Amino acid sequence: MRIATWNVNGLRARLDYMMLWLDARRPDIVGLQELKITDEEFPTDAFSARGYHVVTHGQKAWNGVAVLSREPAEVVMRGLPGQAELGARLLRVSVGNIDFTTVYCPNGKDIDHDDYARKLDWFDALAAYWQSAPAADRAVLCGDFNIVPAALDSWLDDCGDHIFHSPAERARFDRLGALGWIDLYRAKHPDRRAYSWWDYRGGAFHRGQGLRIDLVLGSRALAPQVESAEIDRDFRKKQDGFTASDHAPVYVDIANS
DNA sequence: ATGACACTATTTTAGTGA
């Protein structure tokens, strides 16, 4: 079973590209982020035609998350409790025997910006949520975390005072680890330098100037069942003339069970 | 040093992204 996460940077603008991707990679469950579209406008039919069930938590112009799945999904939670002001950023569903959550975590803009404190609060609320509503044995928490877990995950000189790299942000990420969430890509590739996001500008992709911020976290019971974990750099490139997102899709393939 | 690219808004540029 293939689980994927992907920040598409605008679902409307990415729809044709996404169809090429679904046909090529055929994931079973997908967490999507940064849809920039309302639930009413979401083009469900395009996904149904390819055999996917769709659950959305969108909003106009910004943010928005969704889950595509081969099997029907039942909504467990739309939105992070107490954090509605920061937009549509969390969607938790039950699909098959997986407790599946996808998140688009706040950006924070800069460590001096008001949004940075709000970002930290959002992560505090996320940790509190998992304490109040614990994940099932077989669980996935995937998405765009907007935190670089460690120096190996960034092309920048990692002095710790850059947004995404600060000790306060990493403390929030580490708290998820303390709650039992395992970074499945890093568990599979402990020493591999790899990125999932590259700036559109300045040829960053070809220069290797990226960040690994798109992650698939798994529960302790799920982690041993991971057969492979990969970042799909090919789908950060233009495909058939269609423009890519600035994020690559990330996969985790789980043994059938 | 700065901008560089892409997307959305009911646009005529600005805000956001990371």
Side-chain angles (χ1 to χ4, degrees):
Chain A
M1 181 177 61
R2 170 164 287 181
I3 289 170
T5 186
W6 195 13
N7 177 324
V8 297
N9 186 22
L11 185 128
R12 213 185 329 255
R14 206 69 56 219
L15 192 59
D16 291 327
Y17 191 101
M18 290 180 72
M19 294 302 142
L20 295 175
W21 175 73
L22 286 172
D23 290 345
R25 303 306 194 219
R26 310 193 61 78
D28 297 292
I29 310 175
V30 186
L32 299 170
Q33 307 90 39
E34 217 175 346
L35 308 181
K36 303 184 178 181
I37 196 168
T38 61
D39 292 343
E40 291 72 25
E41 292 176 296
F42 194 97
T44 301
D45 293 349
F47 297 96
S48 311
R50 280 174 167 74
Y52 289 97
H53 298 268
V54 181
V55 177
T56 65
H57 179 45
Q59 67 176 86
K60 189 174 180 177
W62 311 113
N63 309 312
V65 286
V67 175
L68 312 177
S69 56
R70 294 280 184 196
E71 293 183 61
E74 181 183 337
V75 175
V76 176
M77 183 61 75
R78 271 196 174 90
L80 180 58
Q83 295 290 320
E85 273 188 24
L86 269 71
R89 296 178 180 274
L90 180 145
L91 179 58
R92 182 180 186 181
V93 302
S94 178
V95 52
N97 59 357
I98 302 275
D99 178 1
F100 185 91
T101 303
T102 191
V103 287
Y104 175 47
C105 303
N107 175 308
K109 291 192 177 70
D110 190 275
I111 57 175
D112 297 324
H113 197 283
D114 288 346
D115 284 5
Y116 177 74
R118 295 193 191 99
K119 175 181 189 175
L120 299 181
D121 288 346
W122 191 92
F123 274 97
D124 288 342
L126 182 62
Y129 172 64
W130 288 120
Q131 287 181 308
S132 68
D137 280 352
R138 287 167 55 81
V140 168
L141 170 57
C142 67
D144 176 357
F145 285 78
N146 276 327
I147 293 177
V148 173
L152 187 58
D153 303 308
S154 175
W155 74 282
L156 293 166
D157 288 334
D158 199 352
C159 47
D161 60 356
H162 192 280
I163 187 77
F164 294 16
H165 302 64
S166 71
E169 289 167 291
R170 284 181 169 153
R172 269 49 178 203
F173 184 73
D174 292 344
R175 193 183 294 174
L176 295 176
L179 288 163
W181 293 109
I182 296 163
D183 178 348
L184 298 176
Y185 183 90
R186 186 51 77 213
K188 206 72 181 171
H189 309 292
D191 305 313
R192 186 189 289 180
R193 177 171 292 275
Y195 309 133
S196 65
W197 171 87
W198 297 262
D199 200 309
Y200 281 121
R201 299 168 292 183
F205 180 72
H206 297 289
R207 293 168 187 262
Q209 300 174 344
L211 305 173
R212 194 176 70 93
I213 52 177
D214 300 276
L215 311 173
V216 182
L217 310 185
S219 59
R220 290 193 177 107
L222 196 72
Q225 299 174 346
V226 173
E227 292 180 327
S228 69
E230 297 298 334
I231 300 172
D232 196 353
R233 292 182 81 261
D234 283 346
F235 278 88
R236 175 58 178 78
K237 302 171 184 171
K238 195 166 282 235
Q239 297 280 346
D240 289 4
F242 296 117
T243 302
S245 170
D246 45 357
H247 298 252
V250 180
Y251 313 127
V252 167
D253 290 337
I254 309 274
N256 289 322
S257 57

